[in-house]
């Protein structure tokens, strides 16, 4: 009979350790570096849909590093930037788009690391503010959702192949990620002008994982 070598999970699936990582947690998560990656991903998606994308400027504690799950930060920032870029492009047109500002705030006595994403994309009507945290609520063209309901090619908010907006679960998942380790995500909007999103991230050494 033919011989075979038993598959070993311990030898075949083990990945080499990553520098500065303990499991999924990066001990030196850089909000600046994560933001730069999210900016490039969001600009690619916005340019694909609108032909151009607004510039994004970074301010504040650009040298900051802290222990966190960097993939969570990337997901949250990508969702916020996608929303800001879409709103800016649609509100101003692609010929005269004001920049989006990302501000990273932190100090020795601060409870949280706070990241603000600020745009001039026309804001959100007050009647929509409570609804933006509901799964599947979207202000995008409903054809986008119908076009992505395909079981053979499931849609995902997690990569640049997804649409710029329209799936309706980016913000709720982003807030769940922020709250999972004791942080939060809040939105303040001025209809007719723009929106400020505040991401509060707790240092992982200061809070316990919320267990049921």
């Amino acid at each position: 009979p033919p011989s075979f070598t038993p598959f070993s999970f311990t030898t075949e699936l083990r990945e080499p350790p990553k520098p500065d990582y303990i499991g999924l947690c990066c001990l030196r998560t850089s909000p600046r570096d994560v933001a730069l990656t999210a900016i490039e991903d969001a600009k690619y998606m916005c340019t694909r849909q609108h032909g151009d994308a607004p510039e994004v400027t970074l301010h504040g504690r650009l040298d900051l590093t802290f222990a966190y799950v960097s993939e969570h930060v990337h997901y949250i920032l990508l969702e916020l930037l996608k929303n800001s870029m879409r709103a800016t492009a649609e509100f101003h047109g692609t010929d005269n788009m004001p920049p989006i500002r990302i501000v990273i705030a932190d100090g020795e006595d601060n409870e949280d690391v706070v990241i603000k994403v600020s745009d001039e994309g026309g804001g959100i009507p007050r009647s929509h503010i409570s609804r933006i945290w509901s799964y599947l609520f979207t202000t995008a063209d409903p054809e986008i959702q119908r076009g992505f309901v395909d079981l053979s090619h499931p849609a995902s908010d997690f990569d640049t192949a997804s649409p710029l907006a329209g799936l309706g679960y980016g913000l709720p998942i982003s807030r769940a990620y922020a709250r999972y380790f004791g942080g939060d995500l809040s939105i303040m909007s001025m209809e007719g002008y723009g929106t400020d999103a505040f991401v509060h991230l707790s240092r992982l050494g200061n809070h316990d994982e919320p267990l049921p």
Side-chain angles (χ1 to χ4, degrees):
S3 61
F4 65 93
T5 302
F7 182 80
S8 172
F9 286 96
T10 58
T11 58
E12 298 295 334
L13 295 183
R14 181 181 298 162
E15 295 184 0
K18 298 179 182 178
D20 296 325
Y21 272 82
I22 299 178
L24 293 176
C25 178
C26 178
L27 301 178
R28 296 180 58 83
T29 295
S30 166
R32 171 190 175 273
D33 292 348
V34 175
L36 289 174
T37 302
I39 289 167
E40 290 306 309
D41 290 343
K43 289 179 73 172
Y44 167 79
M45 299 169 74
C46 185
T47 301
R48 180 185 62 196
Q49 181 164 328
H50 294 286
D52 202 357
E55 293 300 314
V56 182
T57 59
L58 289 168
H59 309 269
R61 280 292 309 277
L62 304 185
D63 61 334
L64 170 69
T65 62
F66 71 116
Y68 209 79
V69 181
S70 56
E71 287 81 0
H72 287 193
V73 184
H74 177 268
Y75 182 87
I76 295 168
L77 291 181
L78 178 58
E79 288 303 319
L80 295 176
L81 287 167
K82 284 163 53 179
N83 291 341
S84 289
M85 288 188 181
R86 173 203 166 206
T88 301
E90 293 181 354
F91 189 68
H92 292 277
T94 55
D95 293 332
N96 187 30
M97 292 183 288
I100 296 165
R101 288 170 52 89
I102 294 179
V103 182
I104 301 167
D106 179 65
E108 293 298 328
D109 298 324
N110 289 16
E111 282 187 19
D112 302 326
V113 173
V114 184
I115 305 173
K116 180 174 77 168
V117 179
S118 181
D119 68 60
E120 298 177 30
I124 304 169
R126 189 164 59 90
S127 60
H128 286 177
I129 290 294
S130 62
R131 302 172 64 195
I132 63 176
W133 306 113
S134 301
Y135 287 92
L136 298 182
F137 172 75
T138 179
T139 58
D141 188 342
E143 288 296 328
I144 294 175
Q145 285 183 320
R146 283 194 285 269
F148 270 72
V149 177
D150 182 349
L151 296 180
S152 63
H153 298 88
S156 172
D157 258 358
F158 292 85
D159 56 49
T160 55
S162 63
L164 183 64
L167 299 182
Y169 49 81
L171 280 180
I173 291 179
S174 294
R175 188 169 69 168
Y177 274 162
R179 288 180 169 179
Y180 189 77
F181 292 117
D184 207 351
L185 171 61
S186 58
I187 303 288
M188 300 293 291
S189 186
M190 182 183 293
E191 188 177 7
Y193 182 78
T195 299
D196 290 343
F198 296 88
V199 185
H200 294 258
L201 303 173
S202 298
R203 294 170 179 82
L204 293 193
N206 297 345
H207 289 81
D208 295 328
E209 178 182 356
L211 298 175

